[in-house]
Amino acid sequence: MAETEHRPTNFIRQIIDKDLANGVHTSIKTRFPPEPNGFLHIGHAKSICLNFGIARDYQGSCNLRFDDTNPAKEDIEFVNSIQQDVKWLGFEWDGEARYSSDYFDQLHGFAVELIEKGLAYVDFSTQEAMREMRGTLTEPGKNSPYRDTSIETNLQEFAKMTAGEYPEGHCSLRAKIDMTSPFMCMRDPVIYRIKFAHHHQTGEKWCVYPMYDFTHCISDAIEGITHSLCTLEFQDNRRLYDWVIENITIDCTPHQYEFSRLNLEYTVLSKRRLIQLVEEKHVAGWDDPRMPTIAGLRRRGYTPGSVREFCLRIGVTKMDNMVEMSMLEACIRDDLNVNAPRAMAVLEPIKLVIENYPEGESETLTAPNHPNDESMGTRNLNFGREVWIEAEDFRESANKKFKRLVLDKEVRLRNAYVVKANRVEKDAEGNVTTVYCTYDADTLGKDPADGRKVKGVIHWVDVASGEPAQFRLYDRLFNVPNPAAEDDFVDAINPDSLIVKSGWVEPGLPGRVPEVGSWQFERTGYFCLDKDSTPEQLVFNQTVGLRDTWAKIGD
RNA sequence: UGGGGUAUAGCCAAGUUGGUAAGGCAGCGGGUUUUGAUCCCGCCAUCCGUAGGUUCGAGUCCUGCUACCCCAGCCA
């Protein structure tokens, strides 16, 4: 799709512009550093577009680095899905994917260097003791009794930790900084802990793993990252980031800049909650079309371009934000409106019988694939005596605002004739099942000759040739704008977030899947074929409905 | 006064040397239309969290205040 032409500036690009102008850097290197402990979501897309977008616009490059320092939470399944999602979004990382675990040897060496400089020590305090000694937000912490252990002893103890001589939790390596610092993360943070876990990349090689704060800055430096972009909650951590870089021997000084993470109304974007939705089966999986994951959006019918456009439109700042869902929907509508061919589908069918149409006969009509784009060509439509129409497009009586089919009134069948409803047939419950009508044979491709105006147009599917299909209509996953603020966000799940309907689509759709993978079912919305489709029954996901001013007016 | 951050329309967001409030989404009018879609045209902050101050002039500078977010994992 045609993404917003101008590259909106933001404070990070301004910093880069300045660095370039001042000769602080001559080339730009960024990185996207997910922990492989879940699927990527729309919030990650913001970071991906930021990092890869900057690399592209400044002729730099961007690394993909898995921040895999906690094997207990991570899995190879996620490193695979993450790579797939980044590629799908249309970005290419520099060289091979990297892993923080690629640097475990170097990281260990830097830890030893810190010990040798008297800037790190092995602490045998229990976690509880450490917590008590750390102080609080308003009170300073107290020095650990192990803080003054000799360098030689610390070297020996760290070697023992590394050799697996101590059980998990028995001790940890701490940076010796300042227990009275107003920054909690500077109160002698743990930089290495013992973990006897299988690591998806390094297997059983290690039983000690470096912590995020120690790992991230060093990994950035090793990779020559110039601008390390992360979210706001790491602002305090920047002091530790800089401390580590200053106190080890490394010739690169990357800098961290923080921007606000994305919040989207009526959904959740925290890994923890997303994992819970999947594990407790509130959704069908990571790629459930209701999920804000990249995989979910993809299956829902969102295009890579629409997600990129969304990221462009929301911008990058340090303000806490809560973006309305309409912003995302506008992006996919803008894309599909130009790129999705039109088709007709009836989601909740009732039968329309054209009484004056010769029985047993049929004809082939031609319909444009796009009303405003002739280059998309035309298609043939079978038309006969019986067609399916939408139940909601017919009423026995209605006021003039209802521009659809009403008894004794006329309406146009899209791409076909004008018909007039004569009588109805109902089932035992009183629901209309069949409408009998007559058609004006002289209205194909033209208005009635006598000048009468037919305002309404409804869509239809030929009974004889239509194909059965299931339609999955999605609504917001939660009933409240900010489910994360609820006591238990699970209670706010919208029970009607998925509605399944069975109806008919014009024939041949699977055989001519458009490049975008989506169709606009006229007057209904944008749909894509779901992977659950079988030869017996097609399954379509509604990506988003058409803008519907009628629904708001009501009647 | 623990520290770190942020405050511009319903939402997102430009505004960077002070010169008299971009744009997008949503909304509201109107036009075109064989999709109540699209498209087109118009409207939508005398005001920038708040109270003062400096200045010929402040969203932009200064001071006070208020609100909200983040930090006390051997998570990231």
Side-chain angles (χ1 to χ4, degrees), chain A residues 132 242 503:
Chain A
E132 282 167 26
D242 292 340

Side-chain angles (χ1 to χ4, degrees), chain A residues 353-359 385 422-423 435-439:
Chain A
V353 178
I354 305 163
E355 296 183 287
N356 61 335
Y357 196 94
E359 223 153 331
R385 193 169 193 265
N422 302 136
R423 60 193 174 90
V435 177
Y436 292 89
C437 70
T438 51
Y439 84 121

Side-chain angles (χ1 to χ4, degrees), chain A residues 32 38-48 82 85 89 261-264 267-272 274-275 286 291-297 307 311:
Chain A
F32 172 60
F39 275 58
L40 258 27
H41 55 67
I42 184 87
H44 292 106
K46 176 177 181 177
S47 174
I48 291 168
I82 287 169
D85 290 348
L89 274 173
R261 60 187 305 147
L262 168 68
N263 293 295
L264 234 201
T267 190
V268 291
L269 292 180
S270 81
K271 281 263 189 79
R272 191 205 107 209
L274 258 13
I275 288 170
W286 286 101
M291 290 284 272
T293 51
I294 302 300
L297 291 166
V307 176
C311 293

Side-chain angles (χ1 to χ4, degrees), chain A residues 177-189:
Chain A
I177 307 180
D178 179 7
M179 290 305 291
T180 69
S181 172
F183 294 99
M184 296 303 291
C185 67
M186 295 297 268
R187 318 244 264 225
D188 289 11

